[in-house]
Amino acid sequence: MSQRAFLQAFDAAAFGTFAAAGIADAAEYLAPDAAPGAPAVPCTVLVDRNVEDFGDDIAPVSAFRTRITFQVSELAAEEGGVVSLLDAAGLVTESFTLAQRTRHDEGISAWWVQHG
């Protein structure tokens, strides 16, 4: 098994366990260049709210931001894409626009997001 295949299988198992425990969220993703009326891609995401960022210099700064993590095996997220969190009935509860990728490996892709 390649490293890529291993990481994707591991992340899929982890996300499934997180979803079963109520830690991961059902969502749908719409690419920034999607045609009007195009269907969104269903996905499972991890949402980290109030993430603190500290600098290493004399004047460290803390900022509370939201980060969303996707499984690479489910989709290829892009800057400007929109992810919408879904409730148990499949209705949108909250939407975010992907602003800046913070991490990407063979299994996951994490993004700073903006509400709306």
Side-chain angles (χ1 to χ4, degrees), residues 8 11-13 15-16 44-45 69-76 107-109:
Q8 288 184 356
D11 288 330
F15 273 64
T44 304
V45 298
T69 304
F70 297 90
Q71 295 178 72
V72 171
S73 63
E74 290 186 336
L75 58 92
I108 62 168
S109 179

Side-chain angles (χ1 to χ4, degrees), residues 5-26:
F6 171 79
L7 286 173
Q8 288 184 356
F10 177 85
D11 288 330
F15 273 64
T17 300
F18 295 154
I23 298 170
D25 294 293

Side-chain angles (χ1 to χ4, degrees), residues 19-93:
I23 298 170
D25 294 293
E28 56 187 21
Y29 172 79
L30 193 59
D33 58 355
V41 176
C43 56
T44 304
V45 298
L46 299 176
V47 180
D48 297 308
R49 299 175 191 276
N50 298 322
V51 176
E52 294 183 40
D53 226 12
F54 296 100
D56 293 332
D57 57 5
I58 298 174
V61 177
S62 64
F64 295 100
R65 303 192 274 183
T66 301
R67 180 178 50 223
I68 293 185
T69 304
F70 297 90
Q71 295 178 72
V72 171
S73 63
E74 290 186 336
L75 58 92
E78 300 175 49
E79 185 174 338
V82 175
V83 60
S84 299
L85 304 182
L86 307 174
D87 65 13
L91 301 174
V92 173
T93 60

Side-chain angles (χ1 to χ4, degrees), residues 78-83 95-100 111-116:
E78 300 175 49
E79 185 174 338
V82 175
V83 60
S95 293
F96 301 93
T97 301
L98 305 186
Q100 180 183 8
W111 292 79
W112 293 127
V113 297
Q114 298 173 338
H115 282 88

